[in-house]
Structures are given as structure tokens and as C-alpha cells.
Amino acid sequence: MEEKYLSLHLSQIHNIKNIRKEYEHYLKFFSGNFKKELPRNRKIKILDMGCGLGETLFSLRKLGYYNVIGIDYSQECVDFCNKMGYAKCYMGNALDYFDTCSEKYDVIFFNDIIEHFQYQDAMHILQGMMQCLNRGG
């Protein structure tokens, strides 16, 4: 199922052919809700876990953040995001990624993801995320 998440699910609720219009719309939401929380230093390292179609990646790039990577459990979404070119994206899932994470990030986005996990898994992921954050992240 996850390998077809874009074609089976996301394409039903998003206009993939006109995704840039959706990106611009999301940028307004992102700027109003997250921009004020981001450090002014545009060189910080940011992870977008569950990057999906790349709305957050697009928004971060538009705001001048370039040291960003995306992770998604759907290879279709990873390929789509890499094709769009706003950040380098990789396939992975939160449970495994945070268990083996050797990278440190200043910011981790985890939008619209945690509600898909059982309580114990969600707590495990959150603990792993804390280990992957730089001091003050």
C-alpha cells in the first residue's frame, strides 16, 4: 500500500497536475503557523519526516532554508519530491529512522503523521526524535 500512497490516496485529494498552486496556498498556512518558530539562521539542518508531496519542503525553500531533507515511507512520494527538487528526499519510516538516526537536526517537522501510530509507537518515535535534535532544537 505505501508504495502506491501517492497514486491511490494523495492523488484523490490533491491536484497533482497543478501542485504548485497547492504549494503556494500551503505556503500561506505554513508562514502563518510555523515561520515565527523557525530560527533566523537559514543554514540550520531541517528534517521533514513524512514529507508526502513536499508542501513543507517547498515552503522551507521559499523562506530561504536550503539544508533540508525529506523522508517518506512511500517511494512514490520520495520520487515525486525529488523530481520537484526542493530538497533531497529518501525512503524510510519514522519507527526505523529514529531508531538508527545518526544525524542531528535543528528542526524536525512531523506534520499530520503522529495520529497514524499507536500510543506506544508514537511515544517511541518522540523519544527517538529527541535524540536526533541538536541542543536547543
Side-chain angles (χ1 to χ4, degrees):
M1 173 73 172
E2 61 268 1
E3 65 272 0
K4 296 292 185 183
Y5 192 69
L6 174 60
S7 57
L8 294 177
H9 177 69
L10 292 178
S11 65
Q12 303 300 311
I13 56 177
H14 295 278
N15 183 353
I16 303 300
K17 293 181 182 183
N18 195 13
I19 196 67
R20 290 186 197 277
K21 185 176 181 181
E22 287 196 28
Y23 284 164
E24 292 293 340
H25 181 75
Y26 184 79
L27 176 60
K28 293 175 188 172
F29 166 81
F30 186 90
S31 294
N33 289 281
F34 299 116
K35 183 179 176 182
K36 63 185 176 285
E37 304 299 332
L38 289 169
R40 293 181 192 259
N41 178 0
R42 300 295 197 263
K43 295 179 182 179
I44 62 169
K45 192 169 186 178
I46 302 174
L47 169 64
D48 182 13
M49 177 56 73
C51 59
L53 294 177
E55 298 95 330
T56 298
L57 303 173
F58 169 84
S59 298
L60 288 164
R61 176 63 64 97
K62 282 291 199 177
L63 294 174
Y65 296 91
Y66 289 88
N67 193 9
V68 178
I69 68 163
I71 305 278
D72 201 278
Y73 79 114
S74 165
Q75 187 64 54
E76 265 189 323
C77 289
V78 169
D79 293 343
F80 183 84
C81 288
N82 283 328
K83 181 178 150 192
M84 297 307 290
Y86 300 116
K88 185 65 181 154
C89 298
Y90 304 93
M91 187 171 171
N93 69 60
L95 280 169
D96 294 337
Y97 186 82
F98 292 118
D99 273 347
T100 61
C101 178
S102 61
E103 299 289 325
K104 291 285 190 176
Y105 300 95
D106 299 294
V107 174
I108 299 175
F109 282 93
F110 199 59
N111 292 334
D112 299 324
I113 305 298
I114 200 146
E115 68 273 13
H116 298 282
F117 292 94
Q118 297 294 323
Y119 176 80
Q120 291 295 347
D121 288 340
M123 295 307 295
H124 182 79
I125 290 168
L126 292 172
Q127 290 170 347
M129 288 172 73
M130 294 298 295
Q131 300 302 312
C132 295
L133 281 171
N134 283 322
R135 186 177 196 94

